[in-house]
PDB file of all heavy atoms in Angstrom:
ATOM      1  N   ALA A 170      23.509  -8.417  13.520  1.00 42.00           N
ATOM      2  CA  ALA A 170      24.787  -8.672  12.876  1.00 42.00           C
ATOM      3  C   ALA A 170      25.941  -8.543  13.852  1.00 42.00           C
ATOM      4  O   ALA A 170      26.914  -9.298  13.797  1.00 42.00           O
ATOM      5  CB  ALA A 170      24.978  -7.703  11.713  1.00 42.00           C
ATOM      6  N   GLY A 173      26.498 -11.707  15.714  1.00 48.00           N
ATOM      7  CA  GLY A 173      26.941 -12.846  14.914  1.00 48.00           C
ATOM      8  C   GLY A 173      26.274 -14.139  15.336  1.00 48.00           C
ATOM      9  O   GLY A 173      26.883 -15.215  15.286  1.00 48.00           O
ATOM     10  N   ALA A 178      23.689 -12.543   9.398  1.00 47.00           N
ATOM     11  CA  ALA A 178      23.453 -11.771   8.179  1.00 47.00           C
ATOM     12  C   ALA A 178      23.011 -12.641   7.035  1.00 47.00           C
ATOM     13  O   ALA A 178      22.256 -12.211   6.169  1.00 47.00           O
ATOM     14  CB  ALA A 178      24.725 -11.031   7.798  1.00 47.00           C
ATOM     15  N   TRP A 179      23.458 -13.894   7.028  1.00 45.00           N
ATOM     16  CA  TRP A 179      23.206 -14.733   5.856  1.00 45.00           C
ATOM     17  C   TRP A 179      21.771 -15.241   5.802  1.00 45.00           C
ATOM     18  O   TRP A 179      21.369 -15.860   4.830  1.00 45.00           O
ATOM     19  CB  TRP A 179      24.186 -15.904   5.862  1.00 45.00           C
ATOM     20  CG  TRP A 179      25.594 -15.413   5.991  1.00 45.00           C
ATOM     21  CD1 TRP A 179      26.416 -15.556   7.071  1.00 45.00           C
ATOM     22  CD2 TRP A 179      26.334 -14.646   5.038  1.00 45.00           C
ATOM     23  NE1 TRP A 179      27.617 -14.938   6.849  1.00 45.00           N
ATOM     24  CE2 TRP A 179      27.599 -14.376   5.616  1.00 45.00           C
ATOM     25  CE3 TRP A 179      26.051 -14.155   3.764  1.00 45.00           C
ATOM     26  CZ2 TRP A 179      28.585 -13.645   4.946  1.00 45.00           C
ATOM     27  CZ3 TRP A 179      27.028 -13.430   3.107  1.00 45.00           C
ATOM     28  CH2 TRP A 179      28.267 -13.179   3.690  1.00 45.00           C
ATOM     29  N   LYS A 185      25.312  -8.800   2.870  1.00 51.00           N
ATOM     30  CA  LYS A 185      26.705  -9.194   2.861  1.00 51.00           C
ATOM     31  C   LYS A 185      27.422  -8.446   3.976  1.00 51.00           C
ATOM     32  O   LYS A 185      26.940  -7.433   4.476  1.00 51.00           O
ATOM     33  CB  LYS A 185      27.359  -8.873   1.521  1.00 51.00           C
ATOM     34  CG  LYS A 185      27.339  -7.390   1.149  1.00 51.00           C
ATOM     35  CD  LYS A 185      27.954  -7.168  -0.217  1.00 51.00           C
ATOM     36  CE  LYS A 185      27.905  -5.679  -0.596  1.00 51.00           C
ATOM     37  NZ  LYS A 185      28.506  -5.426  -1.912  1.00 51.00           N
ATOM     38  N   ARG A 186      28.573  -8.944   4.354  1.00 52.00           N
ATOM     39  CA  ARG A 186      29.354  -8.307   5.401  1.00 52.00           C
ATOM     40  C   ARG A 186      30.348  -7.332   4.786  1.00 52.00           C
ATOM     41  O   ARG A 186      31.034  -7.658   3.825  1.00 52.00           O
ATOM     42  CB  ARG A 186      30.129  -9.360   6.198  1.00 52.00           C
ATOM     43  CG  ARG A 186      29.239 -10.252   7.048  1.00 52.00           C
ATOM     44  CD  ARG A 186      28.843  -9.577   8.348  1.00 52.00           C
ATOM     45  NE  ARG A 186      28.124 -10.490   9.221  1.00 52.00           N
ATOM     46  CZ  ARG A 186      28.265 -10.490  10.537  1.00 52.00           C
ATOM     47  NH1 ARG A 186      29.077  -9.641  11.110  1.00 52.00           N
ATOM     48  NH2 ARG A 186      27.590 -11.324  11.275  1.00 52.00           N
ATOM     49  N   LEU A 187      30.387  -6.142   5.333  1.00 50.00           N
ATOM     50  CA  LEU A 187      31.405  -5.172   4.944  1.00 50.00           C
ATOM     51  C   LEU A 187      32.224  -4.879   6.193  1.00 50.00           C
ATOM     52  O   LEU A 187      31.771  -4.152   7.086  1.00 50.00           O
ATOM     53  CB  LEU A 187      30.763  -3.899   4.391  1.00 50.00           C
ATOM     54  CG  LEU A 187      30.023  -4.034   3.050  1.00 50.00           C
ATOM     55  CD1 LEU A 187      29.417  -2.693   2.670  1.00 50.00           C
ATOM     56  CD2 LEU A 187      30.951  -4.521   1.957  1.00 50.00           C
ATOM     57  N   TRP A 188      33.410  -5.452   6.258  1.00 52.00           N
ATOM     58  CA  TRP A 188      34.244  -5.377   7.427  1.00 52.00           C
ATOM     59  C   TRP A 188      33.451  -5.898   8.628  1.00 52.00           C
ATOM     60  O   TRP A 188      33.068  -7.041   8.666  1.00 52.00           O
ATOM     61  CB  TRP A 188      34.751  -3.951   7.640  1.00 52.00           C
ATOM     62  CG  TRP A 188      35.615  -3.487   6.498  1.00 52.00           C
ATOM     63  CD1 TRP A 188      35.260  -2.668   5.476  1.00 52.00           C
ATOM     64  CD2 TRP A 188      36.971  -3.877   6.226  1.00 52.00           C
ATOM     65  NE1 TRP A 188      36.299  -2.508   4.599  1.00 52.00           N
ATOM     66  CE2 TRP A 188      37.376  -3.231   5.041  1.00 52.00           C
ATOM     67  CE3 TRP A 188      37.894  -4.688   6.882  1.00 52.00           C
ATOM     68  CZ2 TRP A 188      38.621  -3.369   4.491  1.00 52.00           C
ATOM     69  CZ3 TRP A 188      39.157  -4.822   6.333  1.00 52.00           C
ATOM     70  CH2 TRP A 188      39.512  -4.180   5.160  1.00 52.00           C
ATOM     71  N   SER A 189      33.166  -5.068   9.620  1.00 57.00           N
ATOM     72  CA  SER A 189      32.457  -5.572  10.796  1.00 57.00           C
ATOM     73  C   SER A 189      30.964  -5.283  10.747  1.00 57.00           C
ATOM     74  O   SER A 189      30.254  -5.554  11.700  1.00 57.00           O
ATOM     75  CB  SER A 189      33.058  -4.942  12.066  1.00 57.00           C
ATOM     76  OG  SER A 189      32.914  -3.533  12.019  1.00 57.00           O
ATOM     77  N   TYR A 190      30.484  -4.719   9.635  1.00 74.00           N
ATOM     78  CA  TYR A 190      29.080  -4.360   9.546  1.00 74.00           C
ATOM     79  C   TYR A 190      28.367  -5.247   8.525  1.00 74.00           C
ATOM     80  O   TYR A 190      28.975  -5.801   7.619  1.00 74.00           O
ATOM     81  CB  TYR A 190      28.906  -2.890   9.126  1.00 74.00           C
ATOM     82  CG  TYR A 190      29.568  -1.913  10.053  1.00 74.00           C
ATOM     83  CD1 TYR A 190      30.539  -1.028   9.593  1.00 74.00           C
ATOM     84  CD2 TYR A 190      29.213  -1.866  11.396  1.00 74.00           C
ATOM     85  CE1 TYR A 190      31.143  -0.128  10.449  1.00 74.00           C
ATOM     86  CE2 TYR A 190      29.815  -0.960  12.259  1.00 74.00           C
ATOM     87  CZ  TYR A 190      30.783  -0.104  11.781  1.00 74.00           C
ATOM     88  OH  TYR A 190      31.379   0.787  12.634  1.00 74.00           O
ATOM     89  N   MET A 191      27.059  -5.343   8.680  1.00 84.00           N
ATOM     90  CA  MET A 191      26.253  -6.012   7.687  1.00 84.00           C
ATOM     91  C   MET A 191      25.634  -4.953   6.777  1.00 84.00           C
ATOM     92  O   MET A 191      25.195  -3.905   7.246  1.00 84.00           O
ATOM     93  CB  MET A 191      25.146  -6.832   8.354  1.00 84.00           C
ATOM     94  CG  MET A 191      24.289  -7.611   7.378  1.00 84.00           C
ATOM     95  SD  MET A 191      23.153  -8.730   8.215  1.00 84.00           S
ATOM     96  CE  MET A 191      21.971  -7.568   8.862  1.00 84.00           C
TER      97      MET A 191
END
Side-chain angles (χ1 to χ4, degrees):
W179 307 110
K185 60 182 179 179
R186 291 279 187 143
L187 293 178
W188 297 101
S189 61
Y190 302 122
M191 182 172 73

